[in-house]
Amino acid sequence: MDGRIFHYCQENKNLVAFVSITEEQQVCSNALILMPGMTEGFMSMSYTKELSAELLKLDYSMVQVNLSSSFMQFGFSSLKQDCQELTKLLKTLEKVYKFQKIVMLGHSTGTQDVLYYLRYGELSEMVSGVILQGAVSDRDYLTTWEETPRLKQEADKLMAERKPQALLSERLFGAPITAERYASLIGRLGDDDMFSVDLTEAELEPILSPVKVPIFLCFSEDDEYVPDKDAQKILAERMTSLLKKNADVVECKYIPGDHGLSNPEHYKAFVHSTCTFIANYI
């Protein structure tokens, strides 16, 4: 997988991105920004390499971005900070590469980044299409953990004491996490709470209404992070109905596989569906 690595934020030299290039060492006319979920970053997704190769055939370069929240740093960050850094990335892409179209693809918590950016991002008009893979609820999953009530109480106490950046006594997915980020993930209608099965149409509307470009929702039939799969399918129908009020094209699909599509047969199906959607609608 060939490409170029570059800085996109002069204030923080740790913030870099990687853009895929063709065999002729050229950047394509269009770009797809890939945003993985918590604990993930460059090359984390099972389908990264194959999707990048297939996108090149459509004249799309994949852009992988290292955010302050990438890999095990998510506990110190927020969707707001991700949004600010994505604006810096988009400004660099516009200045240096002058892409004609930019698609955002989010996986897991990366899907929250995509929707948050369309709602609040300074350059959201630059986004030509959206793909959400594994857009499921952190709150629904974490409520199945025995330790969650105790950690939620601890986070709520620290927030009430105006100590949002204080670290919780335990890690989440192996990473240190602040009271503020934990509250965002576990709290009803927190910034990260976009896909919980109990959200009403009225609560989903401000989250989804900013999507005015073609959008592809792809869910996994055997997602291990979905406690109630029947309820999640009802939510997906509710989301699709709301999205159709504003988006040009809305496609929703379930494919076999786990949350990260670890099986090659499953991620190949996702890659095919994604490239077909881009070719047909963006």
Side-chain angles (χ1 to χ4, degrees):
M1 188 170 173
D2 296 326
R4 302 170 186 167
I5 195 164
F6 60 93
H7 291 101
Y8 66 88
C9 176
Q10 296 305 312
E11 298 82 22
N12 185 347
K13 295 299 184 180
N14 294 323
L15 299 183
V16 297
F18 178 90
V19 58
S20 298
I21 57 177
T22 66
E23 292 182 356
E24 295 75 30
Q25 306 296 300
Q26 298 298 311
V27 174
C28 297
S29 303
N30 311 292
L32 179 142
I33 301 173
L34 176 63
M35 287 177 284
M38 291 188 293
T39 75
E40 298 166 332
F42 280 13
M43 298 299 294
S44 290
M45 303 311 305
S46 61
Y47 49 77
T48 302
K49 188 174 181 179
E50 178 142 344
L51 178 58
S52 178
E54 293 301 312
L55 285 170
L56 291 175
K57 298 175 184 178
L58 299 176
D59 198 20
Y60 276 80
S61 288
M62 177 183 285
V63 177
Q64 298 182 67
V65 57
N66 184 56
L67 301 168
S68 295
S69 60
S70 294
F71 296 108
M72 304 302 282
Q73 303 174 107
F74 67 87
F76 298 100
S77 193
S78 64
L79 294 182
K80 182 178 180 180
Q81 184 170 345
D82 288 350
C83 181
Q84 293 168 345
E85 292 174 3
L86 286 170
T87 291
K88 293 178 181 180
L89 173 67
L90 287 170
K91 286 181 178 179
T92 300
L93 295 180
E94 182 179 39
K95 179 180 179 180
V96 178
Y97 296 108
K98 298 177 172 57
F99 290 117
Q100 296 173 15
K101 297 177 183 178
I102 293 179
V103 175
M104 284 189 171
L105 190 165
H107 160 74
S108 196
T109 309
T111 64
Q112 288 144 222
D113 273 322
V114 172
L115 292 181
Y116 192 93
Y117 197 83
L118 291 182
R119 187 176 181 182
Y120 298 111
E122 180 184 337
L123 299 176
S124 59
E125 73 280 355
M126 288 180 62
V127 181
S128 302
V130 167
I131 298 158
L132 307 183
Q133 187 267 311
V136 298
S137 168
D138 296 297
R139 175 163 65 90
D140 285 346
Y141 176 66
L142 290 174
T143 52
T144 66
W145 289 17
E146 183 179 343
E147 60 268 35
T148 292
R150 174 172 48 80
L151 289 176
K152 184 179 185 302
Q153 184 178 26
E154 182 182 346
D156 289 344
K157 181 175 182 293
L158 289 168
M159 293 294 288
E161 293 173 351
R162 298 183 180 180
K163 299 176 181 177
Q165 297 306 306
L167 294 177
L168 297 190
S169 59
E170 294 185 24
R171 297 183 174 217
L172 184 69
F173 301 119
I177 188 166
T178 66
E180 183 176 45
R181 188 63 196 265
Y182 189 83
S184 176
L185 291 166
I186 196 66
R188 195 175 195 283
L189 294 177
D191 282 349
D192 281 284
D193 190 33
M194 300 185 187
F195 311 116
S196 296
V197 297
D198 63 355
L199 295 182
T200 66
E201 285 195 9
E203 291 166 337
L204 287 168
E205 195 277 334
I207 298 169
L208 301 176
S209 61
V211 182
K212 296 177 171 61
V213 294
I215 179 170
F216 173 36
L217 303 171
C218 188
F219 298 100
S220 299
E221 292 179 352
D222 303 307
D223 196 316
E224 65 272 25
Y225 294 104
V226 178
D228 188 337
K229 291 179 173 54
D230 290 335
Q232 197 277 328
K233 287 184 177 180
I234 294 172
L235 175 75
E237 292 173 359
R238 197 180 308 142
M239 290 173 61
T240 300
S241 177
L242 285 168
L243 285 164
K244 286 181 177 178
K245 293 182 179 180
N246 296 291
D248 297 337
V249 178
V250 180
E251 187 170 308
C252 182
K253 186 175 186 178
Y254 279 81
I255 61 176
D258 57 18
H259 186 63
L261 302 174
S262 58
N263 185 301
E265 181 181 350
H266 301 154
Y267 72 65
K268 287 177 186 292
F270 170 68
V271 168
H272 176 75
S273 295
T274 295
C275 290
T276 299
F277 180 80
I278 291 173
N280 290 342
Y281 301 117
I282 301 176

